[in-house]
Amino acid sequence: MRSLGIVRKVDQLGRIVIPKELRNTLQLRTGTPMEIFVEEDRIILRKYAVNESCMVTGEITPDNKLYSNGMYLSPRGAKLLVDEIQKNEANEKVIH
């Protein structure tokens, strides 16, 4: 993450103005839905994109990955899938 050298103060209602140049660059128009994430001491804003939600958990995180089949998985969703596959493989070995 790089600093743009821009500082803004939080107003009485807790708002921060995103500079116009940055809004234009990121194509943030009035009414654009935004998601808010907290990571340690950082607040992360990003455009809300429902199609990027994890197919397993429904989570939308900055760490979601798009796979070649068009499916998004969050790290937690991927772990749940791996755990389920391993459990099924163990059950199949018991049956055979």
Side-chain angles (χ1 to χ4, degrees), residues 19-77:
K20 184 176 183 176
E21 298 81 14
L22 189 54
R23 292 192 316 263
N24 288 341
T25 300
L26 298 174
Q27 299 177 341
L28 299 176
R29 307 288 179 245
T30 301
T32 300
M34 300 293 293
E35 285 188 282
I36 302 169
F37 300 93
V38 175
E39 187 176 280
E40 296 175 13
D41 64 343
R42 295 183 209 124
I43 298 171
I44 301 168
L45 299 174
R46 85 173 216 178
K47 288 186 199 180
Y48 177 72
V50 71
N51 62 333
E52 294 181 11
S53 63
C54 175
M55 294 292 289
V56 176
T57 65
E59 295 172 322
I60 300 175
T61 73
D63 298 323
N64 284 12
K65 295 204 182 340
L66 174 63
Y67 291 87
S68 59
N69 60 1
M71 178 173 69
Y72 280 90
L73 285 176
S74 66
R76 190 168 72 92

